[in-house]
Structures are given as structure tokens and as C-alpha cells.
Amino acid sequence: MHYAAPPYMHDVLPHEPARDPWLHAARWRAVERIFRRVCCDYGYREIRTPVMEQTELFTRSIGQGTDIVGKEMFTFEDRGGRGMTLRPEGTAPVVRAYLEHHLAAEAPIAKLYYIATIYRYEHGQRGRYREHQQTGVEMLGSADPAADAEVIGLALEFYRRLGITDAELRVNTVGCPACRPAYRERLLEYARPRLEAMSADNRARFETNPLRMLDSKDDRDRAALADAPRLIDCVCDECRDHFAAVRRHLEAIGTRYTVDPHLVRGFDYYTKTAFELISPALGAQNSIGGGGRYDGLVEELGGPPTPGIGFGIGTERCLIVLEELGVTLPLDDEAPRVWVATLGAAAHDRGVMLLEALRRAGIAADMDYQGRSLKAQMRHAGKAGARFALIVGDEEMASGVGTLRDMREGAQEPVPLGELAAAVRQRLGG
């Protein structure tokens, strides 16, 4: 029988595949390593949440009228009759954990980051997958516009360290519960006579969640709503002042941005600041991350009024952009430092012992387990990228001295088998 990965999900491999080189595990680790380092530099600590949550967590937070809840969630009933959903986004689970474990008691401001798999039943295409990985941060407890600028700055610094220099920042204010109802009525009034020119999806959004109409990527919808009232012109004084302060902080730290009045993001919980990061290298699906402020989400999920802001960045899209830009990531070295090559049964047994001694000394080492010739073993050592090869045969067994070959230089020298780890460490520079 033939089995394959589920549609629009993928395997990340230990070697670089010819078709999609970005599906190389070493590249993923490099992205994750850089992200962790940036988060640490900004004072964020890691949090990990379950891959599934109660379905209501997402329907309450994301919103019933959103595409994610309406079309894209992987939802099922478990054996206990509970509605469960594979995590379709990262913020709501972090907020749930924040409340459940009383993280506010540790510090007035919680600065958290995560690396998590996300699941959405989408029409898959390059850069848009039903299972993808997301890196994200959440700052809970601060309403300061400077916090918005910090979160945005962290995302851009992550891109900079990756080597993505073409990232563009788009920002907007989406108002708050106090000022959005009036804007909603203005938008409905504007859109009503233009509904026939819009897509079926936008006609449905008109009834259930009008602001989502602005998020449509359909050319018909964009044309029909080109002159729609702008949220930024309809927000209350508090939201307007907050957005002005965010822009002032961004400019103070030298961050370039574009105000996009149609940017609303895909979740109902956003308030005030919303932002998106795009890369021209991705073509039509050019979003590589985004986020915003969600000052009402903690309260919506049963906690006290607590402001928050965060973002999510797709790992796959970052890797694809890096490939398009020709950026080489600093990959970790998985090659063995020593390859133990043996000749004869007795030497093989001794080689097993030497291999274990090297590993216990913290030196990566490997050997042949197929009984191949010495020539074949040395060829495999070179293919594996080993720095040294230790040759052990009858003569070496008798003398207690092996032959250590430098696989780069081709030179070789005798090394006492009892002092092997120290000799290798010395040649590796400690």
C-alpha cells in the first residue's frame, strides 16, 4: 500500500530535498534559533500550549462571523462528548493559559513567545498550508502605545536577523467597541447598493460581520469598496490618540510603515492597532505575519480587563521568502566529528566501545553497522561530513594505537586508543 502526507501538509526532512529546499529541518531550526534569540533580547519567555483546545475558546475569541470559525477549523467531538478544535491560531490558547495559571501574579506585564503548529482547512497553495508553523509573541498587561511599537519592532528585528530585508509594514487602527458600531452603520450604508458587484463571500459577510468585507482579497470586492468610509476617520478620540502615539514611537525608532485604511485582520478580538507584514517575494500571497492589539480578549475569556498585543509569523512563508531572496541561513552542524572505521570482527567490537566513549565525552561520533569494506566505510565517512576518521584493525588492536585521519587535509597520525577523546578534542580546538 502507498501512503502520503495529508493534503497541504508536509514532512520536514533531515536532508535538503531537491524540490522544496526549504523543507530542510536544519533551516527550520535556524529560524527557530534566531527567533528565540530575538525574543530573549526583548525580554520574552517561552510558553507552550496544547495542540487542541475546547472549540468555544476559538468561537468566542476569533468570532462566529470570521472565515476561520466558519470554514477553516478542524473541529471534532472527543470520546467524552466535548467539542475540541485543533489550534487555528496562537493568541487565544496563550490567553487561556495566562488566566488558568495566574501568570499576572508573577509580574504586572507578561511577555510571552511561542513556536506552535497551526491548523486551518484552507485551499492549499504555495505558502498556504493546512498545517503550518507559527512563531508569535504576546504582551499582556500594558495599554501603552510604546508596547505596540515594541512588538512590531521585535517582528521586524526578527526579519532583519533572518536576512529578509524587503519586509514592508502596514498599520491601521480598527477602533474599539465604543466607536466601531457607528462605523459599522456607515459601512453598511455604503456597501448596500454595491452588494451585487461583490463576491458571494462578501455578500455573506455583509449580513454577519461587515468589517470582514474590508479584508477581502477578491478584486471585485476591492473595487466596490475602494471609496468606502475609512475606519481611521471614524474612530473615537482615545483610539485616534493611541494610533498617533504608536506612529510617533515607530518613527522615533526609525521604523518605516504605510497606513492601510482597509487593514482589519481576520479576528474579531482586535482593537485599536492592527498591523501586517508583507514581502513582495511571495507574490499574491505576500503576507508573512501580522497582529494587533486585543484589549478585550482577556475579559471575554473570563478574566479581568487586561490589555494585550501580539503577532504571529508563518515559518514556512519566512523560509520561502529566504529561498526567493537567496539568503543562506547559518545552519547547525549535524555531521559527526569522528567516524570509527573498523576492519575485522574484533576491531568492530572494540569500535563499539570507542564510539560510546567518544559520545560520553560529548564528541559526536558514528560508525558502520553493515559490515562493509574499509574503503566503503571511509567513503561513507566523507559523505557524512565527518571531520576525522579513526581506523582500527588488527594491528591497531594489538598496539593499542589507532590511526586518526583528518578528512579535510588527508593527513593521518597514530593516537593511543585510551586517549582518543582527549586527542580529538585537542585537534578540534577544545
Side-chain angles (χ1 to χ4, degrees), residues 173-396:
T173 177
V174 295
C176 67
C179 56
R180 266 205 299 260
Y183 174 74
R184 183 179 183 275
E185 292 307 313
R186 289 188 60 182
L187 181 61
L188 287 172
E189 182 181 349
Y190 175 87
R192 188 172 287 108
R194 297 168 173 81
L195 280 177
E196 290 304 315
M198 296 192 208
S199 67
D201 282 344
N202 250 21
R203 291 197 295 272
R205 291 174 186 136
F206 178 87
E207 302 294 339
T208 61
N209 200 333
L211 262 67
R212 294 278 78 75
M213 294 190 297
L214 300 173
D215 200 37
S216 174
K217 303 299 187 289
D218 191 295
D219 289 340
R220 293 169 295 174
D221 300 333
R222 287 179 175 272
L225 296 169
D227 297 320
R230 304 192 319 166
L231 245 173
I232 196 171
D233 297 327
C234 303
V235 295
C236 62
D237 291 343
E238 180 186 348
C239 291
R240 185 177 296 107
D241 292 345
H242 184 95
F243 189 50
V246 171
R247 295 175 63 181
R248 187 170 65 251
H249 286 304
L250 289 174
E251 291 161 8
I253 61 176
T255 300
R256 298 173 60 184
Y257 64 87
T258 300
V259 175
D260 182 351
H262 282 179
L263 176 62
V264 295
R265 302 291 295 159
F267 306 144
D268 282 357
Y269 56 61
Y270 281 126
T271 58
K272 297 180 179 175
T273 307
F275 64 93
E276 188 170 46
L277 299 138
I278 66 171
S279 170
L282 274 179
Q285 294 293 334
N286 60 4
S287 176
I288 53 177
R293 181 163 282 282
Y294 46 86
D295 289 348
L297 180 57
V298 175
E299 190 173 7
E300 175 66 25
L301 297 183
T306 306
I309 183 168
F311 69 70
I313 290 174
T315 300
E316 288 87 342
R317 292 197 179 189
C318 282
L319 287 162
I320 292 171
V321 169
L322 290 169
E323 184 178 303
E324 294 293 331
L325 296 176
V327 175
T328 301
L329 289 169
L331 306 185
D332 50 19
D333 185 4
E334 294 184 282
R337 296 293 181 263
V338 181
W339 188 276
V340 179
T342 62
L343 188 61
H348 175 76
D349 291 348
R350 183 63 186 279
V352 171
M353 298 170 60
L354 292 167
L355 188 67
E356 186 63 17
L358 286 166
R359 290 168 172 170
R360 290 184 180 182
I363 299 171
D366 210 343
M367 69 180 295
D368 175 68
Y369 290 105
Q370 292 183 297
R372 290 180 290 187
S373 68
L374 182 60
K375 183 178 180 180
Q377 291 181 62
M378 296 300 289
R379 189 184 309 117
H380 197 132
K383 186 176 180 180
R387 181 69 174 84
F388 298 101
L390 175 70
I391 303 170
V392 181
D394 291 340
E395 291 183 13
E396 288 79 9

Side-chain angles (χ1 to χ4, degrees), residues 71-92:
K71 303 177 183 179
E72 299 171 0
M73 295 203 313
F74 284 91
T75 297
F76 61 95
E77 187 176 282
D78 70 7
R79 295 186 180 221
R82 293 173 289 262
M84 305 297 291
T85 295
L86 294 179
R87 179 175 49 210
E89 62 97 22
T91 300

